[in-house]
Amino acid sequence: MVLKKIPYGISNFRTIMEEGYIYVDKTRFIRILEDNPAPYIFFLRPRRFGKSLFVSLLQYYYDINERDNFSRLFSDTDIGNNPTPKHNSYFILYFNFSALTTTSGDSLITSVKLRTEQSLVEFKRQYDLTIPLDTSGSSADMLTSFFSGLPSEMKGRVYVLIDEYDHFANELLSFNFDLFQETISRQGFIRKWYEALKIGTQSFVGRIFATGVSPVTLDSLTSGFNIADNITRLPACNEMMGFTEPEVKELVLETLPHNIYSPELVLTLRDYYNGYLFSEDAETRLFNSDMILYYLKSYLSRQKPPEKLLDMNIASDYGKIGRLMQIKSPEQNISVLQEVLSSGQVTSRLTDQFSMEKKFSEDDFKSLLFYLGLLTIRDNMPGRVGLQIPNYVIHGIYADFFLDLITRRADYHVDTESVSLAIEQVAREGRCEKLVLLIEELLHAFSNRDYIGFDEKYVKIVIFTYATMSNLYLVKSEYEVSDGYIDLVFLAREPWKPDYNAIFELKYLKMKDATKERIGEVMEDGIRQLMQYSLSPELSSIDNLKKWVLVFSGDKCVAVRDV
């Protein structure tokens, strides 16, 4: 069998189909879009979920200039075997609003205008049109003038594709809230741009498909563009982007040679990258497509898993999200973050459209985390949904956020070299003295006032984050076994082979309660729990399993027991 190439970082449909890359067939969703009663659609997914590739798919499927290439591009796809009547019947007008300049209001206006002009010039070139393009006014004026100059025989046959419609807005939301509000306000130039696009639908624009990450601008945009349908949570579209588990299995089998293929690989990928559900009425959970392709690309080139589970491109995207904690109500948002990290789940009424002119509620913030891919649907309940952290990698991102938050609050710098040495001591020597010392140093940086309300969940978050920073272990928080939930578990993960695995039971006493007798009581309780847990089928077969009970009070670990 000739193995297919892994299309990591490639979002051009033609390149994938013509140059030997594997394509996970999403063409069946074209029929769903065509059957949707509203021809003007917004569809949201987190970053790196295949949005740009899907837009490229629509471009090649509907472009009238690609009619002669239809068989070559689509013959091996679902839609190629049963095409819709509208294939290759539109003039494609494509806008990409990623990487706009957002340093100031003027630079953003200039950037949007330039991107609009580039798209219109390309449209004219692609279809050999000689209509004039007036660039003297705003981007909205340019768009209005363009539609008024189109020849009448094109009426109703322009398909507008908009990729990353909200990229600039998410950037502004995280660092320049005033400019964000000004941009999307009633008089804002972005709203005017969409009003001009709406005028185009009265004559020439037959269909619109716009992708983005979050609905933070939809409330303002759709006030002047109230013809669009947001199908983000439509159950029929749950699998339109991202990979199902059968699709991941196909990827593994068709891209990896047999000598490095492992049957356990899909189970590993499920643990790291699966878990996303985008409709409360759907059932199939999805893998982040970019994360899967990153892992397989590294696995193929190194013949072993990547050292770091999170692609640096994704890490840089999510790194900006820490600034979102400052939106409107920082203390409220931090409280939500603490709730998510301590329990792994929350409930919320999902917000379909945000209005930043109104109060930004806890449900709004939880919903924003959902759209960003930091929370996903766990289950449905009357009027609300249960939300949870989707997978191991995202759990690590949360822990990094929170560690950064508390170290800044304590004015404490984390020494990454010391963290690596501490986790290596656990892995190679089966000892935890260095790890305990690091936790004590961080706790000592807090004032006595900060210990009010402090408990073991904060210690657990810090240990979890330190362990994930080292990349030596697959670290589990609240690890479920037949007899209960273990606070923390360090499990060996490839390509590393630590000499010891470890489980921790954590206890925290307020300083006024930390008597010798009480410390002894909670220690005995922890020992009993660990002995019970270690007999479970999930752990009984693990070799060299270290079991520790750690009791903290104030800024000290007042008792340690190697069980």
Side-chain angles (χ1 to χ4, degrees):
M1 182 180 71
V2 178
L3 294 174
K4 298 288 187 70
K5 295 189 291 186
I6 297 169
Y8 173 75
I10 298 175
S11 57
N12 184 285
F13 178 73
R14 166 175 274 161
T15 300
I16 289 175
M17 301 307 286
E18 291 185 344
E19 299 187 15
Y21 292 94
I22 189 168
Y23 175 63
V24 175
D25 192 352
K26 299 292 184 178
T27 60
R28 67 189 184 277
F29 293 100
I30 290 174
R31 296 190 195 90
I32 294 175
L33 296 182
E34 278 199 18
D35 292 340
N36 188 67
Y40 314 121
I41 290 171
F42 279 94
F43 188 78
L44 311 176
R45 280 296 180 267
R47 297 200 188 285
R48 313 284 179 173
F49 246 87
K51 296 186 295 296
S52 295
L53 177 57
F54 193 86
V55 170
S56 179
L57 164 67
L58 295 179
Q59 180 178 358
Y60 284 104
Y61 183 78
Y62 285 108
D63 192 345
I64 197 169
N65 280 355
E66 296 291 337
R67 182 175 294 162
D68 294 340
N69 299 322
F70 180 81
S71 179
R72 188 172 79 253
L73 294 177
F74 291 94
S75 60
D76 294 329
T77 66
D78 180 276
I79 201 73
N81 295 325
N82 185 20
T84 65
K86 294 181 179 179
H87 79 87
N88 300 119
S89 63
Y90 286 92
F91 298 85
I92 302 298
L93 178 55
Y94 170 73
F95 297 97
N96 186 334
F97 287 132
S98 64
L100 296 177
T101 304
T102 56
T103 52
S104 68
D106 288 341
S107 65
L108 179 58
I109 291 172
T110 300
S111 188
V112 170
K113 182 177 179 180
L114 178 60
R115 196 66 58 86
T116 301
E117 180 180 350
Q118 290 170 339
S119 296
L120 298 180
V121 168
E122 175 60 20
F123 184 90
K124 290 175 57 179
R125 186 201 66 78
Q126 187 77 12
Y127 302 109
D128 196 24
L129 299 175
T130 58
I131 59 174
L133 184 61
D134 184 0
T135 62
S136 60
S138 67
S139 56
D141 293 336
M142 192 190 313
L143 199 57
T144 301
S145 173
F146 168 78
F147 286 131
S148 66
L150 285 176
S152 59
E153 60 266 24
M154 292 184 63
K155 185 174 182 179
R157 299 188 64 192
V158 175
Y159 199 138
V160 177
L161 298 173
I162 306 174
D163 197 12
E164 301 282 7
Y165 93 96
D166 63 335
H167 189 275
F168 76 93
N170 292 325
E171 290 277 324
L172 292 177
L173 190 60
S174 65
F175 73 87
N176 193 335
F177 187 72
D178 291 339
L179 181 55
F180 168 84
Q181 287 189 303
E182 176 185 333
T183 301
I184 66 167
S185 68
R186 183 174 295 275
Q187 301 303 320
F189 74 97
I190 290 295
R191 177 165 169 163
K192 297 296 184 184
W193 192 96
Y194 278 91
E195 288 176 351
L197 180 58
K198 181 179 179 180
I199 293 173
T201 64
Q202 299 170 7
S203 52
F204 297 103
V205 176
R207 303 188 74 85
I208 298 171
F209 183 81
T211 73
V213 171
S214 73
V216 293
T217 60
L218 279 184
D219 180 70
S220 296
L221 293 185
T222 53
S223 297
F225 190 70
N226 54 3
I227 56 174
D229 188 13
N230 179 6
I231 64 169
T232 298
R233 287 162 54 203
L234 196 69
C237 296
N238 179 61
E239 302 170 29
M240 194 160 81
M241 298 173 195
F243 297 152
T244 65
E245 188 159 314
E247 289 168 343
V248 170
K249 290 179 180 177
E250 179 186 358
L251 273 168
V252 170
L253 289 171
E254 295 198 23
T255 59
L256 299 184
H258 291 300
N259 64 318
I260 64 171
Y261 167 78
S262 167
E264 292 79 30
L265 180 57
V266 173
L267 298 179
T268 301
L269 294 173
R270 182 197 299 168
D271 207 16
Y272 293 161
Y273 305 124
N274 192 22
Y276 298 93
L277 189 68
F278 296 107
S279 170
E280 53 269 50
D281 297 315
E283 296 181 357
T284 302
R285 295 194 175 272
L286 300 164
F287 295 75
N288 179 295
S289 49
D290 184 272
M291 292 182 188
I292 292 294
L293 296 177
Y294 157 77
Y295 188 100
L296 293 181
K297 173 178 172 288
S298 176
Y299 198 87
L300 181 61
S301 62
R302 295 158 44 89
Q303 299 197 10
K304 61 181 181 180
E307 294 182 5
K308 295 184 177 180
L309 296 177
L310 184 60
D311 180 4
M312 290 305 296
N313 291 322
I314 299 178
S316 63
D317 285 339
Y318 282 121
K320 302 169 185 175
I321 297 171
R323 295 196 294 259
L324 295 178
M325 295 295 162
Q326 304 305 314
I327 295 174
K328 300 280 275 190
S329 307
E331 289 303 319
Q332 168 193 274
N333 301 340
I334 290 170
S335 175
V336 170
L337 176 64
Q338 291 173 322
E339 182 184 0
V340 170
L341 268 171
S342 61
S343 65
Q345 57 190 38
V346 291
T347 64
S348 177
R349 192 182 307 275
L350 286 179
T351 304
D352 292 317
Q353 294 186 18
F354 294 91
S355 175
M356 291 301 171
E357 297 175 356
K358 301 176 183 176
K359 182 180 182 295
F360 192 68
S361 68
E362 282 194 9
D363 281 352
D364 289 335
F365 186 67
K366 293 173 185 176
S367 298
L368 184 57
L369 295 177
F370 163 72
Y371 289 111
L372 293 170
L374 290 167
L375 289 175
T376 198
I377 295 171
R378 183 185 77 247
D379 51 26
N380 197 9
M381 55 190 66
R384 300 179 73 78
V385 295
L387 298 173
Q388 65 184 12
I389 300 174
N391 51 50
Y392 176 73
V393 168
I394 300 301
H395 197 153
I397 290 172
Y398 270 111
D400 287 343
F401 284 165
F402 195 73
L403 180 65
D404 180 65
L405 179 71
I406 61 178
T407 52
R408 280 190 286 110
R409 181 177 176 182
D411 194 22
Y412 175 83
H413 172 69
V414 176
D415 181 358
T416 55
E417 179 65 20
S418 296
V419 170
S420 296
L421 292 174
I423 303 303
E424 285 176 14
Q425 185 188 47
V426 175
R428 305 306 178 199
E429 302 175 33
R431 297 164 53 199
C432 66
E433 291 93 334
K434 292 181 179 178
L435 179 60
V436 169
L437 181 61
L438 284 179
I439 304 303
E440 288 182 331
E441 287 180 359
L442 176 56
L443 295 181
H444 185 67
F446 282 82
S447 67
N448 289 332
R449 173 181 56 81
D450 290 316
Y451 293 127
I452 300 173
F454 207 85
D455 58 28
E456 66 268 11
K457 69 173 177 287
Y458 294 94
V459 177
K460 181 169 63 177
I461 291 168
V462 174
I463 296 177
F464 179 97
T465 309
Y466 282 172
T468 56
M469 285 170 61
S470 77
N471 288 304
L472 274 175
Y473 286 107
L474 176 64
V475 190
K476 297 285 192 174
S477 175
E478 293 298 309
Y479 183 73
E480 185 175 5
V481 294
S482 53
D483 293 315
Y485 295 86
I486 306 173
D487 283 337
L488 283 169
V489 179
F490 292 8
L491 297 175
R493 82 163 186 90
E494 292 187 356
W496 314 116
K497 293 179 171 56
D499 297 310
Y500 294 93
N501 297 283
I503 60 177
F504 294 83
E505 186 65 26
L506 306 175
K507 304 294 181 182
Y508 191 91
L509 292 172
K510 295 179 180 179
M511 285 184 284
K512 65 181 180 64
D513 297 328
T515 64
K516 184 177 181 179
E517 179 182 6
R518 183 63 182 139
I519 292 171
E521 289 174 353
V522 297
M523 174 60 73
E524 288 304 314
D525 183 55
I527 293 171
R528 178 189 57 77
Q529 289 175 281
L530 283 189
M531 293 300 292
Q532 182 177 344
Y533 295 153
S534 62
L535 296 175
S536 66
E538 296 89 344
L539 297 179
S540 58
S541 61
I542 297 179
D543 295 328
N544 295 334
L545 181 65
K546 300 295 294 186
K547 301 179 284 290
W548 284 295
V549 181
L550 307 180
V551 182
F552 288 86
S553 179
D555 62 353
K556 294 292 184 183
C557 181
V558 294
V560 179
R561 180 69 63 86
D562 186 347
V563 179

